[in-house]
Amino acid sequence: MTDEEYMEYALSLAAEAYRRDEIPVGAVIVKDGRIIAVGSNENREKSDPTLHAEIIAIRNASIHLNNERLTGCNLYVTKEPCAMCAGAIVHSRIKCVIIGAEDIKYGACGTVFDICGNSLMNHIPEIKWGVLRDRCSTLLSEFFKAKREKKREQNS
Protein backbone atom coordinates (compact mmCIF):
# COMPACT_ATOMS: atom_id res chain seq x y z
CA MET A 1 0.00 0.00 0.00
CA THR A 2 1.05 3.61 -0.51
CA ASP A 3 1.28 6.41 2.04
CA GLU A 4 -1.91 7.82 0.56
CA GLU A 5 -3.76 4.53 1.02
CA TYR A 6 -2.71 4.24 4.67
CA MET A 7 -3.71 7.87 5.24
CA GLU A 8 -7.01 7.13 3.52
CA TYR A 9 -7.65 4.50 6.19
CA ALA A 10 -6.66 6.97 8.92
CA LEU A 11 -9.13 9.44 7.40
CA SER A 12 -11.90 6.83 7.58
CA LEU A 13 -11.14 6.42 11.29
CA ALA A 14 -11.20 10.21 11.71
CA ALA A 15 -14.60 10.36 9.98
CA GLU A 16 -15.84 7.69 12.38
CA ALA A 17 -14.66 9.83 15.31
CA TYR A 18 -16.50 12.82 13.79
CA ARG A 19 -19.73 10.80 13.74
CA ARG A 20 -19.20 10.08 17.46
CA ASP A 21 -18.74 13.84 18.09
CA GLU A 22 -15.03 13.42 18.76
CA ILE A 23 -12.38 15.65 17.21
CA PRO A 24 -11.81 13.82 13.92
CA VAL A 25 -8.36 12.33 14.19
CA GLY A 26 -7.40 8.87 12.98
CA ALA A 27 -4.15 6.96 13.37
CA VAL A 28 -2.79 3.82 11.72
CA ILE A 29 0.43 1.98 12.63
CA VAL A 30 2.15 -0.08 9.97
CA LYS A 31 5.00 -2.56 10.33
CA ASP A 32 6.54 -4.46 7.42
CA GLY A 33 3.76 -3.28 5.11
CA ARG A 34 0.94 -4.52 7.38
CA ILE A 35 -1.46 -2.51 9.50
CA ILE A 36 -0.94 -3.71 13.07
CA ALA A 37 -2.96 -1.13 15.03
CA VAL A 38 -5.41 1.72 14.62
CA GLY A 39 -7.02 4.39 16.75
CA SER A 40 -9.39 7.32 16.64
CA ASN A 41 -10.07 9.91 19.30
CA GLU A 42 -12.15 8.67 22.25
CA ASN A 43 -11.24 11.26 24.88
CA ARG A 44 -14.59 13.06 24.97
CA GLU A 45 -16.86 10.03 25.00
CA LYS A 46 -14.78 8.26 27.66
CA SER A 47 -13.86 11.40 29.66
CA ASP A 48 -10.17 10.57 29.44
CA PRO A 49 -7.80 13.23 28.10
CA THR A 50 -5.20 10.59 27.17
CA LEU A 51 -7.40 8.77 24.66
CA HIS A 52 -6.06 10.45 21.54
CA ALA A 53 -5.95 8.45 18.31
CA GLU A 54 -2.16 8.16 18.41
CA ILE A 55 -2.07 6.92 22.02
CA ILE A 56 -4.74 4.30 21.32
CA ALA A 57 -2.88 3.10 18.21
CA ILE A 58 0.45 3.00 20.08
CA ARG A 59 -1.12 0.99 22.93
CA ASN A 60 -2.72 -1.43 20.47
CA ALA A 61 0.52 -1.84 18.50
CA SER A 62 2.49 -2.49 21.71
CA ILE A 63 -0.01 -5.18 22.69
CA HIS A 64 0.12 -6.67 19.19
CA LEU A 65 3.94 -6.81 19.22
CA ASN A 66 4.15 -7.60 22.94
CA ASN A 67 6.78 -4.86 23.15
CA GLU A 68 6.75 -1.22 24.25
CA ARG A 69 9.28 -0.46 21.49
CA LEU A 70 7.71 0.05 18.08
CA THR A 71 10.95 0.10 16.13
CA GLY A 72 10.41 -0.29 12.42
CA CYS A 73 6.84 1.01 12.67
CA ASN A 74 5.33 3.93 10.80
CA LEU A 75 2.50 6.02 12.22
CA TYR A 76 0.00 7.64 9.85
CA VAL A 77 -2.03 10.34 11.54
CA THR A 78 -4.51 12.82 10.09
CA LYS A 79 -3.46 15.72 12.38
CA GLU A 80 -0.08 16.65 13.79
CA PRO A 81 0.39 15.03 17.21
CA CYS A 82 0.19 17.11 20.40
CA ALA A 83 2.94 17.14 23.04
CA MET A 84 1.52 14.10 24.86
CA CYS A 85 1.32 12.04 21.69
CA ALA A 86 4.69 13.24 20.42
CA GLY A 87 6.23 12.13 23.72
CA ALA A 88 4.68 8.69 23.32
CA ILE A 89 5.99 8.53 19.74
CA VAL A 90 9.53 9.27 20.93
CA HIS A 91 9.32 6.82 23.86
CA SER A 92 7.94 4.03 21.67
CA ARG A 93 10.69 4.57 19.06
CA ILE A 94 8.35 4.86 16.08
CA LYS A 95 10.48 5.05 12.95
CA CYS A 96 8.45 7.53 10.89
CA VAL A 97 5.41 9.75 11.47
CA ILE A 98 3.39 10.57 8.38
CA ILE A 99 1.16 13.57 9.08
CA GLY A 100 -1.83 14.82 7.12
CA ALA A 101 -2.50 18.33 8.50
CA GLU A 102 -0.47 20.63 10.70
CA ASP A 103 -1.88 21.70 14.06
CA ILE A 104 -1.18 25.42 14.45
CA LYS A 105 -2.34 25.48 18.09
CA TYR A 106 -0.90 22.32 19.64
CA GLY A 107 1.33 20.63 17.06
CA ALA A 108 4.43 19.07 18.61
CA CYS A 109 6.26 17.81 15.53
CA GLY A 110 7.61 21.20 14.57
CA THR A 111 4.63 23.52 14.12
CA VAL A 112 4.33 24.84 17.70
CA PHE A 113 6.65 22.53 19.64
CA ASP A 114 9.39 20.28 18.34
CA ILE A 115 9.29 17.22 20.54
CA CYS A 116 9.68 14.69 17.74
CA GLY A 117 12.57 16.61 16.19
CA ASN A 118 14.37 17.60 19.37
CA SER A 119 18.02 16.56 19.24
CA LEU A 120 18.10 16.34 23.04
CA MET A 121 15.72 13.38 22.94
CA ASN A 122 17.03 9.82 22.76
CA HIS A 123 15.06 9.12 19.56
CA ILE A 124 14.14 11.32 16.61
CA PRO A 125 11.53 9.85 14.27
CA GLU A 126 11.49 10.79 10.63
CA ILE A 127 8.59 13.16 9.87
CA LYS A 128 6.75 13.29 6.55
CA TRP A 129 4.25 16.10 6.06
CA GLY A 130 1.17 16.73 4.01
CA VAL A 131 -0.10 13.34 2.87
CA LEU A 132 -3.74 14.08 1.90
CA ARG A 133 -3.30 17.43 3.71
CA ASP A 134 -6.35 19.12 2.13
CA ARG A 135 -8.74 16.31 3.02
CA CYS A 136 -7.39 15.98 6.56
CA SER A 137 -7.57 19.73 7.10
CA THR A 138 -11.06 20.02 5.60
CA LEU A 139 -12.46 17.32 7.88
CA LEU A 140 -11.13 19.15 10.94
CA SER A 141 -12.39 22.53 9.69
CA GLU A 142 -15.87 21.13 9.02
CA PHE A 143 -16.01 19.60 12.51
CA PHE A 144 -15.09 22.84 14.28
CA LYS A 145 -17.37 24.91 12.03
CA ALA A 146 -20.31 22.64 12.94
CA LYS A 147 -19.41 22.97 16.63
CA ARG A 148 -19.36 26.78 16.40
CA GLU A 149 -22.70 26.84 14.54
CA LYS A 150 -24.31 24.55 17.11
CA LYS A 151 -23.04 26.74 19.93
CA ARG A 152 -24.44 29.88 18.21
CA GLU A 153 -27.83 28.15 17.82
CA GLN A 154 -27.87 27.20 21.51
CA ASN A 155 -27.05 30.77 22.53
CA SER A 156 -29.77 32.27 20.31
Coordinates of all heavy atoms in Angstrom, one line a residue, residues 20 31 37 45 54 65 84-85 93 115 120 130 140 147 153-155:
R20 N -19.0 10.3 16.0 CA -19.2 10.1 17.5 C -19.0 11.4 18.2 O -19.0 11.4 19.5 CB -18.2 9.0 18.0 CG -18.4 7.7 17.4 CD -17.5 6.6 18.1 NE -16.2 7.1 18.6 CZ -15.1 7.0 18.0 NH1 -15.0 6.6 16.7 NH2 -14.0 7.5 18.6
K31 N 3.7 -1.9 10.2 CA 5.0 -2.6 10.3 C 5.1 -3.6 9.2 O 4.2 -4.4 9.0 CB 5.2 -3.2 11.7 CG 6.6 -3.8 11.9 CD 6.8 -4.3 13.3 CE 8.1 -5.0 13.5 NZ 9.2 -4.1 13.5
A37 N -2.2 -1.8 14.0 CA -3.0 -1.1 15.0 C -3.6 0.1 14.5 O -3.0 0.8 13.5 CB -2.1 -0.8 16.2
E45 N -15.8 11.0 24.6 CA -16.9 10.0 25.0 C -16.5 9.2 26.2 O -17.4 8.7 27.0 CB -17.2 9.1 23.8 CG -16.1 8.3 23.3 CD -16.4 7.5 22.0 OE1 -17.5 6.9 21.9 OE2 -15.6 7.7 21.1
E54 N -3.5 8.7 18.4 CA -2.2 8.2 18.4 C -1.9 7.3 19.6 O -1.2 6.2 19.5 CB -1.1 9.3 18.4 CG -1.3 10.3 17.2 CD -2.2 11.5 17.6 OE1 -3.3 11.3 18.1 OE2 -1.8 12.6 17.3
L65 N 2.5 -6.4 19.3 CA 3.9 -6.8 19.2 C 4.5 -7.4 20.5 O 5.6 -7.9 20.6 CB 4.8 -5.6 18.8 CG 4.5 -5.1 17.4 CD1 5.4 -3.9 17.1 CD2 4.8 -6.2 16.3
M84 N 1.7 15.4 24.2 CA 1.5 14.1 24.9 C 1.8 13.0 23.9 O 2.6 12.0 24.1 CB 0.1 14.0 25.4 CG -0.2 12.6 26.0 SD -1.9 12.4 26.5 CE -2.8 12.5 25.0
C85 N 1.2 13.1 22.7 CA 1.3 12.0 21.7 C 2.7 12.0 21.1 O 3.3 10.9 20.9 CB 0.3 12.2 20.6 SG -1.4 12.0 21.2
R93 N 9.7 4.7 20.1 CA 10.7 4.6 19.1 C 10.1 4.3 17.7 O 10.6 3.6 16.9 CB 11.7 3.5 19.4 CG 12.3 3.4 20.7 CD 13.2 4.6 21.0 NE 14.1 4.4 22.1 CZ 13.8 4.6 23.4 NH1 12.6 5.0 23.7 NH2 14.8 4.5 24.3
I115 N 8.9 18.4 19.7 CA 9.3 17.2 20.5 C 9.9 16.1 19.7 O 10.9 15.5 20.0 CB 8.1 16.8 21.4 CG1 7.7 17.9 22.4 CG2 8.3 15.4 22.1 CD1 6.4 17.7 23.1
L120 N 17.8 16.7 21.7 CA 18.1 16.3 23.0 C 17.4 15.0 23.4 O 17.7 14.4 24.5 CB 17.7 17.5 24.0 CG 18.4 18.8 23.8 CD1 17.9 19.8 24.8 CD2 19.9 18.6 24.1
G130 N 2.1 16.3 5.1 CA 1.2 16.7 4.0 C 0.5 15.6 3.2 O 0.0 15.9 2.1
L140 N -11.2 18.4 9.7 CA -11.1 19.1 10.9 C -11.9 20.5 10.9 O -12.6 20.8 11.8 CB -9.6 19.4 11.3 CG -8.9 18.1 11.7 CD1 -7.4 18.3 11.5 CD2 -9.2 17.8 13.1
K147 N -19.4 22.7 15.2 CA -19.4 23.0 16.6 C -19.8 24.4 16.9 O -20.6 24.7 17.8 CB -18.1 22.6 17.3 CG -17.8 21.2 17.4 CD -18.7 20.7 18.6 CE -18.3 19.2 18.9 NZ -19.4 18.7 19.7
E153 N -26.4 28.5 17.8 CA -27.8 28.2 17.8 C -28.3 28.0 19.3 O -29.4 28.4 19.6 CB -28.1 26.9 17.1 CG -28.0 27.0 15.6 CD -28.1 25.7 14.9 OE1 -28.3 24.6 15.5 OE2 -27.8 25.6 13.6
Q154 N -27.5 27.4 20.1 CA -27.9 27.2 21.5 C -27.9 28.5 22.3 O -28.7 28.7 23.2 CB -26.9 26.3 22.2 CG -27.0 24.8 21.7 CD -25.9 23.9 22.3 OE1 -24.9 24.4 22.7 NE2 -26.1 22.6 22.2
N155 N -27.1 29.5 21.9 CA -27.0 30.8 22.5 C -28.1 31.8 22.0 O -28.2 32.8 22.5 CB -25.6 31.4 22.4 CG -24.6 30.6 23.2 OD1 -25.0 29.9 24.2 ND2 -23.4 30.7 22.9

